[in-house]
Amino acid sequence: IYISTATSVLAMVPLGLNGYGLREGAYIYLLSTYGYTISQALSISVIFAVMVSIFSFLGGLDYALAHISSIFLKENKIEKEI
């Protein structure tokens, strides 16, 4: 668990694009202490980044659809009152 936390904190350092590069290096360094190869650690890092991206997109989509529906409901309410 600490590996995920440590790499996420390191990815917040503004030295790369969205933390890419730093996060992968941290995964490789931290997981190598547990016997993972470089390719395994890099794969885990990429899978983690893809999962975060997918869930961020879904959360943004949910937020946008909720915002659009609230605007639509407000417009319909105003039209009914007139």
Side-chain angles (χ1 to χ4, degrees), residues 4-16 18-20 22-23:
S4 174
T5 305
T7 56
S8 295
V9 169
L10 188 61
M12 289 185 225
V13 176
L15 294 177
N18 200 23
Y20 291 109
L22 290 174
R23 179 176 35 240

Side-chain angles (χ1 to χ4, degrees), residues 1-74:
I1 289 179
Y2 86 91
I3 292 175
S4 174
T5 305
T7 56
S8 295
V9 169
L10 188 61
M12 289 185 225
V13 176
L15 294 177
L17 182 63
N18 200 23
Y20 291 109
L22 290 174
R23 179 176 35 240
E24 284 73 20
Y27 265 103
I28 290 169
Y29 175 75
L30 294 172
L31 289 176
S32 67
T33 61
Y34 291 101
Y36 287 86
T37 65
I38 292 173
S39 61
Q40 289 172 329
L42 187 61
S43 297
I44 291 170
S45 176
V46 170
I47 290 169
F48 178 76
V50 168
M51 289 179 62
V52 167
S53 298
I54 289 171
F55 286 112
S56 296
F57 173 76
L58 292 175
L61 183 64
D62 181 54
Y63 176 79
L65 292 176
H67 184 68
I68 290 170
S69 66
S70 69
I71 291 172
F72 180 72
L73 291 174
K74 287 179 185 176

